[in-house]
Amino acid sequence: MLTKIATYGCCATRDLFNKAFVSDWKNHFQLVSYQQHCSIVSLMSKPIAIDSEDELQGDLSEFEKSVFKQDILKSFLETLKTTQPEYLVLDFHVDTFNGFIELADGSIITNRIVRYKKLDIFKNFEMKKVFSPLENPTEFKKRWIQSFNRFMQFMKENCPNTQLIINRLEVARMYYSVDNQMESMIERRKNKDHHNAETLAKIDECIDYFERYAINNFDLRSLDFNSEDYFGAENNPWGTCYMHYNPYYYKQKFKDLWNIVENHFHAPTKLASFAPGGLAKQIPIGVTNLADIDEVGVYYLTNATYLQMEDRPTTDNAGYFFIVYPRNGKAGFMQELRKSTVAFSIQIFVRIAGGKENSKWNMVNSGFRTLSIPDVTKISEISEPGEYYITAEQAKKMEDHPTKKNGWYLTVSKKNHDSLKQLLTKNTQNDNAFEEYVRIVNEDKGSYLKWKKYHFDNAGFSPITALRNFKNRVIRKLKSMKA
């Protein structure tokens, strides 16, 4: 059975599934849906209603009319829900190269005004503001991020089994002429779009910004761009343009894509079928609560993915192995987290999830080394049981440290209901400089007592006892003198 795939973006992505560029793509994939030349901001805005096909009159090709219709109806979303592709390959060229337009009624369309204005229906649209990474980059990026987050939420709710792959792109500055000479793309197109090296650099920066945002925040796979081998080409079937590349680009990108699919990085695999040294499962796209994952298996959470989890037990910036155990016939099942590290102690947390409510995470092992201090500004925020070490530099930054000097061992007890004990022991080899402080922290209320210092040198000191001892010493001295 062929792998179902969808594309979103510009022709640099769509043409990976065009026999003019990759002759055998149909031996591997079934292209079930695609959207071209539409901004994410436009896609995730409200649809603009039109009455019939007859309204699309104007000097545009049928392809351009279909692009316009998809842009205003936002129909790609419904197509994704209907076709349920296994993979969606998308790029952000249109978002950055074109931008988007906000209309007077609050609607959004992609900024392809040079083409769209040729349609009669476009006369009914009243433009309010044009957004571009060149003109208003801060607001542009903010609006894009909000829209992309909504898109990922849509995919989580409607296409939970679709894996997203980012096709990373760069603007081609040079191109191969038909006689195999390297020429300047800027010079070639200077009378068409008036771009220069500075504007193209800003466009590339914005594309890279969006790509990294998507990849890092949602733990997505990507097809990298090889700037040493990918160029424009005069013999590209669509003409000489910034995103129309040489034949090697399409062949190599398709190969990279097939390598991802062939490795089945997303395939649901039963725990019993894992071979020694096999790959762990990936956390489903868009999941922000570990409790929502109930399929049995071993998963791996990267640093970025772990920090997205709202119900994680620690604030560590670390990767974790995540195990979901089979149910025992009741509603609940066990989940386990193991910190992936060789530099610090391996921490293990377990809990029961899937019932009316989830139990809290319980640490069952903290290894044989002291734990690393999480990124906090108060010691009171460290509530995970175990032994930690606070360096002198870290002590200076802790708002509630009793001395803000020297290195210290911190011992955090297990909780009794809502409270726990914290003990600070100074790291020193000098008996006279040795110090310890203790206090109780109420984690639920976020309150804590003042540090209480142990007085080892005069423990149990009493003025009455001291006076009695002095009197006895004097009497003993007098008696010895009489004798």
Side-chain angles (χ1 to χ4, degrees):
M1 182 179 294
L2 297 177
T3 300
K4 294 197 300 181
I5 201 159
T7 67
Y8 177 91
C10 69
C11 49
T13 297
R14 172 63 179 86
D15 285 337
L16 296 178
F17 309 94
N18 182 335
K19 65 180 181 180
F21 297 87
V22 182
S23 59
D24 63 343
W25 74 268
K26 288 188 177 181
N27 295 336
H28 305 276
F29 295 102
Q30 177 189 3
L31 185 64
V32 295
S33 56
Y34 64 91
Q35 167 89 57
Q36 286 184 254
H37 307 304
C38 178
S39 166
I40 285 285
V41 184
S42 172
L43 179 67
M44 300 312 297
S45 64
K46 63 180 181 181
I48 303 173
I50 57 173
D51 292 334
S52 68
E53 295 263 353
D54 295 337
E55 291 190 56
L56 296 183
Q57 301 296 321
D59 186 22
L60 276 184
S61 67
E62 291 303 313
F63 169 75
E64 290 289 356
K65 289 178 180 179
S66 68
V67 168
F68 173 78
K69 188 175 179 181
Q70 278 187 299
D71 193 359
I72 63 174
L73 295 180
K74 326 302 179 188
S75 56
F76 183 61
L77 297 178
E78 191 61 36
T79 305
L80 286 173
K81 289 169 61 176
T82 303
T83 58
Q84 292 292 312
E86 296 172 69
Y87 296 90
L88 169 61
V89 184
L90 64 166
D91 69 72
F92 305 132
H93 162 71
V94 178
D95 292 283
T96 52
F97 218 87
N98 295 85
F100 61 93
I101 299 173
E102 184 176 341
L103 303 180
D105 65 354
S107 301
I108 303 292
I109 60 172
T110 307
N111 183 14
R112 305 184 79 242
I113 188 172
V114 174
R115 294 173 175 83
Y116 289 173
K117 68 181 182 180
K118 296 179 181 181
L119 292 170
D120 294 345
I121 192 176
F122 196 73
K123 298 173 184 177
N124 301 327
F125 294 169
E126 181 182 351
M127 293 191 300
K128 178 181 178 181
K129 185 176 181 179
V130 176
F131 289 82
S132 162
L134 302 179
E135 303 298 331
N136 35 34
T138 301
E139 188 174 6
F140 180 83
K141 289 179 180 178
K142 180 181 178 181
R143 293 282 293 271
W144 186 92
I145 288 174
Q146 291 172 344
S147 299
F148 187 76
N149 289 346
R150 290 199 299 272
F151 175 71
M152 294 303 294
Q153 184 63 31
F154 168 87
M155 295 301 293
K156 174 185 175 181
E157 295 174 357
N158 298 282
C159 303
N161 297 317
T162 300
Q163 302 294 323
L164 277 69
I165 301 174
I166 304 300
N167 184 19
R168 307 198 69 173
L169 298 176
E170 290 181 17
V171 175
R173 273 38 171 215
M174 307 295 290
Y175 72 93
Y176 279 117
S177 64
V178 290
D179 55 355
N180 208 32
Q181 298 297 312
M182 192 69 77
E183 306 286 349
S184 168
M185 185 70 78
I186 296 175
E187 187 67 22
R188 172 67 178 257
R189 297 188 59 85
K190 64 181 180 181
N191 295 326
K192 293 185 178 181
D193 44 39
H194 310 292
H195 284 299
N196 55 36
E198 182 180 359
T199 59
L200 294 181
K202 289 181 178 179
I203 290 172
D204 264 348
E205 183 275 331
C206 194
I207 294 176
D208 179 68
Y209 179 89
F210 291 154
E211 290 169 345
R212 287 186 290 106
Y213 178 86
I215 294 168
N216 295 335
N217 284 279
F218 296 95
D219 198 24
L220 304 183
R221 298 292 294 266
S222 64
L223 306 175
D224 291 334
F225 189 90
N226 184 347
S227 57
E228 295 184 0
D229 294 325
Y230 301 158
F231 303 97
E234 192 171 28
N235 61 355
N236 187 290
W238 305 124
T240 312
C241 192
Y242 298 106
M243 296 292 172
H244 295 166
Y245 300 107
N246 56 326
Y248 180 73
Y249 161 87
Y250 302 95
K251 291 179 174 57
Q252 186 59 43
K253 283 269 187 170
F254 187 86
K255 179 181 177 182
D256 294 343
L257 172 63
W258 182 244
N259 284 339
I260 291 177
V261 175
E262 194 174 32
N263 286 331
H264 302 295
F265 76 91
H266 76 296
T269 308
K270 297 301 180 183
L271 182 63
S273 67
F274 273 107
L279 295 176
K281 293 183 179 182
Q282 300 292 310
I283 298 297
I285 293 174
V287 169
T288 57
N289 278 286
L290 293 169
D292 294 336
I293 304 173
D294 59 359
E295 183 177 341
V296 175
V298 179
Y299 300 76
Y300 184 73
L301 292 84
T302 63
N303 298 13
T305 302
Y306 181 71
L307 292 177
Q308 291 176 28
M309 298 299 121
E310 297 173 2
D311 57 347
R312 64 185 187 275
T314 73
T315 56
D316 291 346
N317 184 14
Y320 276 82
F321 290 98
F322 177 58
I323 304 173
V324 178
Y325 288 90
R327 296 177 183 270
N328 63 354
K330 299 180 181 179
F333 54 91
M334 180 177 287
Q335 293 183 324
E336 178 180 315
L337 275 169
R338 293 174 180 250
K339 186 175 181 180
S340 175
T341 178
V342 293
F344 303 102
S345 297
I346 296 177
Q347 294 170 261
I348 302 175
F349 301 87
V350 296
R351 73 170 177 190
I352 302 299
K356 292 182 179 180
E357 61 178 347
N358 305 317
S359 71
K360 293 186 177 180
W361 288 104
N362 292 278
M363 179 187 284
V364 296
N365 182 27
S366 60
F368 63 92
R369 297 180 60 178
T370 56
L371 303 174
S372 57
I373 295 295
D375 185 18
V376 296
T377 57
K378 289 185 177 182
I379 298 175
S380 61
E381 297 177 34
I382 305 172
S383 59
E384 298 153 20
E387 294 186 359
Y388 301 79
Y389 187 74
I390 303 176
T391 66
E393 191 64 28
Q394 290 171 328
K396 294 179 183 177
K397 300 176 182 179
M398 295 293 176
E399 297 176 12
D400 58 345
H401 194 283
T403 69
K404 297 185 183 296
K405 297 178 181 178
N406 305 106
W408 294 78
Y409 294 97
L410 170 66
T411 303
V412 180
S413 73
K414 296 178 180 179
K415 282 204 305 183
N416 179 22
H417 300 296
D418 57 355
S419 298
L420 54 87
K421 181 178 73 173
Q422 290 184 329
L423 173 67
L424 275 174
T425 303
K426 187 176 181 180
N427 182 13
T428 178
Q429 302 297 314
N430 186 341
D431 289 342
N432 295 327
F434 184 77
E435 294 178 88
E436 277 194 338
Y437 294 82
V438 66
R439 71 174 177 189
I440 301 297
V441 175
N442 188 310
E443 186 185 18
D444 291 352
K445 295 182 179 179
S447 61
Y448 47 86
L449 299 178
K450 292 183 178 180
W451 288 106
K452 181 72 173 179
K453 183 178 181 180
Y454 284 122
H455 295 280
F456 299 97
D457 53 343
N458 56 355
F461 176 79
S462 168
I464 296 176
T465 302
L467 183 61
R468 184 187 304 118
N469 291 339
F470 177 74
K471 178 182 176 181
N472 292 335
R473 284 199 301 272
V474 171
I475 293 173
R476 287 196 298 271
K477 182 67 174 176
L478 291 174
K479 287 183 177 179
S480 64
M481 290 174 63
K482 288 181 181 181

